[in-house]
Amino acid sequence: MDTEFWHHKWREGDIAFHEGAPNALLQAHFSRLDVPAGGRIFLPLCGKTRDIAWLLERGYQVVGAELSQLAIEQLFSELGLAPRVEETGSLIHYSAAGIDIFVGDIFDLQRDTLGPVQAVYDRAAMVALPPDTRRRYSTHLVDITSAAPQFLITFNYDQSLIDGPPFSIPQEELERHYGAIYQMTELAREPVTGGLKGQVEAVELAWQLIARLHPE
Ligand SMILES: C[S@@+](CC[C@H](N)C(=O)[O-])C[C@H]1O[C@@H](n2cnc3c(N)ncnc32)[C@H](O)[C@@H]1O
């Protein structure tokens, strides 16, 4: 699964992952993260999610990373915002009041460019990545956010029945990625109505990740 896989999806409008409304688990449980008012929240692999509008409406600042420039053009258009657009290294920085989006490969986004964040909201980001990339992703995410608290949404289903994305991420795998860094608390688990891709029974889980020790 290379970058062309995602560019192709955006070009074709093949974006079943895009929810037309803010995510239900986010709305129900995000307050558990206790992000300070006006805090800056990082959405890795953000697409054009409606969750950004939901967070902005609640007074948070949002910073995202997304491969597809097409997605981000659509995001700003749907938000009704005219972005400032400038190159920063290999990334393109879209910004408006309260929002910064870096277009390009998240692995090219470094801590100084991202800037400080008070929380990470990972919906359809880790689960979008194949197994060998998830280790690299989780390490990079912890590094560039200085282990900021995370609100993380995952799926759990029998991976032998269908292929991802979205991939199933069992708790043991999450522990391998994040267990040494974060205290992980399951906040909710909900069955996926009609099954994942209409094919297999699955549950969607919301996790709160709080750093055990804050690195310098
Ligand atoms: C499953 S979608 C989820 C989008 C969004 N989080 C949502 O909830 O609608 C995954 C997104 O990650 C983007 N993506 C994939 N690999 C990426 C990478 N290496 N760097 C930045 N974005 C990436 C894709 O273009 C796609 O928009």
Side-chain angles (χ1 to χ4, degrees):
M1 192 169 307
D2 55 11
T3 54
E4 182 47 30
F5 172 88
W6 293 106
H7 286 306
H8 179 77
K9 279 194 171 292
W10 281 104
R11 275 197 309 272
E12 297 299 312
D14 177 17
I15 53 168
F17 55 78
H18 176 69
E19 301 182 299
N23 181 271
L25 291 172
L26 173 75
Q27 295 188 62
H29 303 290
F30 184 71
S31 60
R32 292 282 298 275
L33 219 53
D34 258 335
V35 182
R40 196 162 181 258
I41 301 171
F42 180 43
L43 280 68
L45 283 60
C46 62
K48 60 167 188 170
T49 175
R50 296 300 300 163
D51 301 339
I52 289 176
W54 189 86
L55 291 165
L56 291 172
E57 282 161 12
R58 276 147 191 82
Y60 296 113
Q61 300 171 71
V62 166
V63 52
E66 168 56 49
L67 202 53
S68 168
Q69 190 164 8
L70 188 58
I72 299 312
E73 290 285 346
Q74 292 177 16
L75 170 71
F76 277 88
S77 164
E78 290 171 16
L79 289 171
L81 295 173
R84 180 187 167 114
V85 182
E86 46 196 351
E87 282 186 20
T88 166
S90 62
L91 305 172
I92 306 173
H93 181 195
Y94 279 63
S95 60
I99 177 168
D100 295 288
I101 306 284
F102 295 97
V103 173
D105 189 335
I106 191 169
F107 295 108
D108 291 338
L109 177 61
Q110 301 305 323
R111 186 202 296 234
D112 289 350
T113 306
L114 175 64
V117 296
Q118 280 71 56
V120 173
Y121 169 45
D122 176 332
R123 188 257 159 193
M126 178 179 258
V127 301
L129 300 171
D132 51 346
T133 312
R134 294 201 285 268
R135 162 56 66 196
R136 187 176 169 219
Y137 166 81
S138 55
T139 304
H140 183 62
L141 191 57
V142 168
D143 176 36
I144 63 176
T145 66
S146 304
Q150 292 198 32
F151 185 85
L152 166 65
I153 297 179
T154 59
F155 288 108
N156 217 329
Y157 63 91
D158 184 347
Q159 191 73 84
S160 70
L161 297 178
I162 55 167
D163 201 4
F167 293 95
S168 176
I169 307 197
Q171 182 164 352
E172 309 79 69
E173 181 184 333
L174 269 189
E175 293 280 0
R176 284 201 302 279
H177 294 313
Y178 288 135
I181 307 285
Y182 292 112
Q183 180 72 46
M184 297 178 13
T185 306
E186 183 186 307
L187 298 176
R189 61 168 64 212
E190 301 286 345
V192 176
T193 311
L196 194 74
K197 300 183 183 178
Q199 295 177 53
V200 297
E201 277 185 27
V203 286
E204 192 176 17
L205 297 103
W207 298 91
Q208 177 198 52
L209 275 53
I210 303 288
R212 296 178 186 281
L213 285 174
H214 271 290
E216 287 303 303

